[in-house]
Amino acid sequence: AQSVSQHNHHVILSEAASLELGCNYSYGGTVNLFWYVQYPGQHLQLLLKYFSGDPLVKGIKGFEAEFIKSKFSFNLRKPSVQWSDTAEYFCAVNAKRMDGKLQFGAGTQVVVTP
Amino acid sequence: DGGITQSPKYLFRKEGQNVTLSCEQNLNHDAMYWYRQDPGQGLRLIYYSQIVNDFQKGDIAEGYSVSREKKESFPLTVTSAQKNPTAFYLCASSTIRGSTDTQYFGPGTRLTVL
């Protein structure tokens, strides 16, 4: 079945540590890729997205993600996290044949300790 | 103040009752979506609508119904046929149909069945 997989359900790390969250998808053909973030008590908001072009995408708050087509991956990274990055992170994919529908991963809860 | 509003923020329902969740957007978006968020499962699509007076089932439509009489509004009814309705419900919208547009999310409604 077509799906989106996020490898880690919970991540705990200290401030200034580097963060990498894995995301793999199983759809063939052209895909659009998204990372959304849900801070405690806030709306789900877009962190970054990839449609085409440079596979290294930069988003808000110092996050970036790299699309590796051969690996069907779109991993999220941040070199140095802050306490305020504590949130739940969701990878999402849509494809042309999906008629605009987004398929979400299960999410990764990230806790950054001071 | 543009955006997506959902009401109420918290909703309690007795078993056997239908309940309607409101979603309104003033972004002039064509497409609207309803998702259900459960811990460890990410977001799952319930229904979506790409144009007024038309809507499509998502992945978990059973026990839910929607209407799209106005562009701005996309209410979701959780019926008594929904076997496990307690969840966090998110509404989203996007400007155009198709796979290249970003979805924007409302603040959500947390439904608890007593």
Side-chain angles (χ1 to χ4, degrees), chain B residues 4 6 23 32-35 74 89-93 104-106:
Chain B
I4 302 173
Q6 291 185 242
C23 177
M32 297 186 74
Y33 309 82
W34 273 105
Y35 294 90
F74 190 42
Y89 292 87
L90 287 167
C91 178
S93 68
Y104 296 89
F105 287 81

Side-chain angles (χ1 to χ4, degrees), chain A residues 72-88:
Chain A
F72 297 87
S73 70
F74 190 55
N75 292 355
L76 181 71
R77 298 192 293 252
K78 184 169 183 178
S80 177
V81 294
Q82 301 172 319
W83 175 80
S84 58
D85 293 320
T86 294
E88 191 159 18

